[in-house]
Amino acid sequence: MSAPARPPTGAAQPSAPGPPRPPGRHRLLPYLLLLPAAAWLLVFFAVPLLQLAAASLYDPAGSLATGYAMTWAFGNYPDALAAYWPQFGRSFGYAGAALVLALLAGYPLAYAIARKAGRWKNLLLVCVVAPMFTSFLVRTLAWKTILSDNGWLVGLLRDVHLLAPDGRLLATPVAVVLGLTYNFLPFLVLPLYASLERLDPRLLEAAGDLYAGPLRTFRRVTLPLSAPGLVAGTLLFFIPASGDYINAELLGTPNEYMIGNVIDSAFLVRLDHPQGAALSFLLMAAILAVVFGYLRRTGPEKVL
């Protein structure tokens, strides 16, 4: 009989099998890593949300002194909507107007930082984020000073006849929209910067080589490739802006109050917890409807 063939010299020898791994250990590891975050969301989000849902169905005739009975009062929802639908419309109108202003200011700013800033990029990013190191309340109070009737901005607008001699900015819808734009602008700029910063400059050069002008290059190359940041930024801006109440409280009057002001008053002033809870769920439902409709029509792949 012939001898068994030997493997060629220098061939890799099969390694000895290691010790057996515990069954299922690696399959459970991702879930174990998610456990702390899941517990946090359960305790501080899911449970309060369920309590809020229950409060929205309490008997509206109850009170904190006498207690609330669970009567499954679904009528709290249409009653709250019928009473405060103007504030709902005002909230989304102000948030939408502020979003338009933020896009007009934020997209060029993000583009300049990502593509043109050079060695000043980090400094400009710090300037965008720096206002957030200060309290939201302090920033809004600063705008109250800027827009005051005796402030420099109102005086300048009166001098150039863009504002009547007795005109004002404070306590108007303009003041509320400007406050929303300023306070939430970083939430729009940072995702846009992240998308534009990853943009391959060779694609822009290729568009130029194909005789595309700056405007066509922006519309066909830059804007579609920055769409993920644009979608994320608009959502991060619009969602908190539509539920805000500080800007309307400090920069407006009751005529400019948004639905957040009504919810704050229901819980802390009128102590009408069923109505406040119902309004909170109506606001969440309206925001979710707007967000899903926006994503369905204007997802990153459908910007153009």
Side-chain angles (χ1 to χ4, degrees):
M1 294 178 62
S2 60
R6 296 183 178 181
T9 305
Q13 301 295 326
S15 58
R21 297 177 178 178
R25 176 179 177 183
H26 292 275
R27 290 197 300 270
L28 293 177
L29 184 58
Y31 300 101
L32 294 175
L33 293 175
L34 289 174
L35 188 59
W40 178 276
L41 288 176
L42 177 65
V43 173
F44 295 105
F45 180 77
V47 172
L49 194 64
L50 290 175
Q51 291 178 337
L52 189 68
S56 70
L57 300 176
Y58 286 161
D59 184 0
S63 66
L64 290 180
T66 60
Y68 288 101
M70 171 55 77
T71 58
W72 303 98
F74 288 98
N76 290 339
Y77 287 91
D79 291 344
L81 184 60
Y84 296 107
W85 66 265
Q87 284 79 3
F88 272 103
R90 194 176 298 138
S91 297
F92 290 103
Y94 287 172
L99 178 59
V100 172
L101 290 179
L103 285 171
L104 293 176
Y107 201 105
L109 177 60
Y111 184 88
I113 296 175
R115 313 301 308 172
K116 304 296 183 181
R119 61 192 180 95
W120 301 102
K121 181 183 298 185
N122 292 334
L123 177 61
L124 291 176
L125 282 175
V126 170
C127 291
V128 171
V129 180
M132 301 184 70
F133 298 163
T134 309
S135 167
F136 189 94
L137 184 61
V138 172
R139 284 182 278 145
T140 308
L141 288 172
W143 269 93
K144 188 173 183 178
T145 303
I146 294 171
L147 300 175
S148 64
D149 294 341
N150 298 322
W152 64 269
L153 181 59
V154 171
L156 176 63
L157 294 177
R158 287 172 179 170
D159 291 340
V160 298
H161 304 289
L162 292 177
L163 200 63
D166 58 345
R168 60 185 321 208
L169 292 178
L170 192 62
T172 65
V174 174
V176 178
V177 171
L178 289 176
L180 291 172
T181 304
Y182 169 76
N183 279 309
F184 297 107
L185 184 62
F187 295 107
L188 176 68
V189 172
L190 293 179
L192 271 174
Y193 162 78
S195 287
L196 290 168
E197 200 272 336
R198 292 195 299 266
L199 183 62
D200 191 344
R202 293 175 297 181
L203 297 175
L204 304 179
E205 295 174 0
D209 293 339
L210 295 173
Y211 303 102
L215 183 61
R216 188 176 180 84
T217 299
F218 172 79
R219 189 172 65 87
R220 301 298 298 271
V221 179
T222 306
L223 184 59
L225 293 178
S226 65
L230 183 63
V231 171
T234 51
L235 292 179
L236 289 174
F237 183 100
F238 182 82
I239 291 172
S242 58
D244 179 71
Y245 68 96
I246 294 295
N247 287 277
E249 181 75 29
L250 297 180
L251 303 179
T253 67
N255 293 328
E256 286 79 43
Y257 276 2
M258 301 164 66
I259 194 61
N261 301 94
V262 178
I263 294 173
D264 173 71
S265 175
F267 278 112
L268 301 180
V269 179
R270 293 183 282 109
L271 303 180
D272 189 350
H273 286 199
Q275 187 183 76
L279 287 171
S280 300
F281 265 90
L282 287 172
L283 177 60
M284 284 189 286
I287 290 176
L288 285 175
V290 171
V291 168
F292 285 135
Y294 173 71
L295 290 177
R296 185 179 179 85
R297 293 179 58 86
T298 323
E301 70 283 357
K302 299 179 182 178
V303 169
L304 292 180

